[in-house]
Amino acid sequence: LAGTLGRPTWLLLKDSADWRWPGEGERTPWYPSVRIFRQHRPGDWAGVIARVAHELDRQPAAALDARPGPGDTAP
């Protein structure tokens, strides 16, 4: 739903995802605001989580603090 609404979204996928998620790259033409983190090997969720953690570390603290909280409305 967040991707459909154009909200920045991170998606964690297994190595053999279905047709909605192209086999390569971090983006999908159907949901431009979605960033895909996929397994490079079957069952390698640790690698996916490590990449997500790395990207979270790269985010400026101000961007993380600006996330809407419960009860907030989207612009």
Side-chain angles (χ1 to χ4, degrees):
L1 180 59
T4 302
L5 295 173
R7 303 295 293 174
T9 306
W10 289 2
L11 176 66
L12 285 58
L13 288 178
K14 63 182 183 172
D15 68 311
S16 59
D18 63 48
W19 62 271
R20 292 174 294 173
W21 316 111
E24 295 182 16
E26 293 185 347
R27 301 289 177 186
T28 174
W30 297 283
Y31 305 105
S33 66
V34 173
R35 182 171 178 192
I36 301 171
F37 292 87
R38 66 180 80 240
Q39 293 177 345
H40 292 300
R41 292 182 316 275
D44 181 25
W45 286 112
V48 174
I49 298 300
R51 289 193 308 277
V52 168
H54 175 75
E55 290 303 315
L56 284 172
D57 283 343
R58 293 173 33 124
Q59 299 294 311
L64 295 175
D65 292 339
R67 293 177 296 181
D72 291 346
T73 58

